[in-house]
Amino acid sequence: MEDLLRAAGFIGVETVGDVIYARCNPALPEFTARQSGGVWQLAQSWPLRATDAQIAAWNALHPQVPMDIHLGETRITLRATPDNLPLWADLCAAMVAQCTAWRRATRQRDEGM
């Protein structure tokens, strides 16, 4: 999987134990790749707890990349294949942008000033 991720243009690819860490681009957080039963599962998390309605809206638009809450953070997952790795990069960027927009929409007017 490491070679496939590198070939697909992912950066910072490294293995620690049985988990591969990589980035879609330098501005995004690391995602993970874990193998289970011969299947590779990719996961990207963001430190925001999306609401049930937000998760349902994402899942309606992206049924192949479900969103959930894992360890208190919003997460998307994808069963990895060589063909869908470019899609993963785009969806990670979309997920981070969406979570950022959701967070900004919940701020109080004077927060962060």
Side-chain angles (χ1 to χ4, degrees):
M1 180 53 68
E2 280 189 50
D3 291 338
L4 289 173
L5 291 170
R6 285 189 186 96
F10 295 99
I11 59 173
V13 179
E14 66 176 320
T15 299
V16 177
D18 60 351
V19 179
I20 299 173
Y21 296 88
R23 292 178 188 270
C24 297
N25 71 55
L28 294 179
E30 290 180 318
F31 65 87
T32 59
R34 288 183 169 89
Q35 189 176 31
S36 177
V39 174
W40 284 95
Q41 187 77 13
L42 305 177
Q44 174 76 68
S45 295
W46 189 254
L48 169 88
R49 185 178 285 273
T51 66
D52 290 343
Q54 291 166 333
I55 291 170
W58 173 274
N59 289 340
L61 289 173
H62 309 287
Q64 76 282 20
V65 186
M67 179 178 279
D68 63 8
I69 301 296
H70 179 73
L71 300 175
E73 295 186 335
T74 301
R75 175 182 71 167
I76 58 172
T77 58
L78 177 69
R79 180 179 175 180
T81 68
D83 293 336
N84 68 15
L85 289 178
L87 172 68
W88 178 247
D90 293 341
L91 286 165
C92 284
M95 181 260 209
V96 168
Q98 184 61 74
C99 285
T100 300
W102 288 336
R103 174 65 182 111
R104 287 183 178 145
T106 63
R107 283 189 177 163
Q108 296 176 3
R109 297 187 117 206
D110 62 348
E111 184 179 352
M113 297 182 134

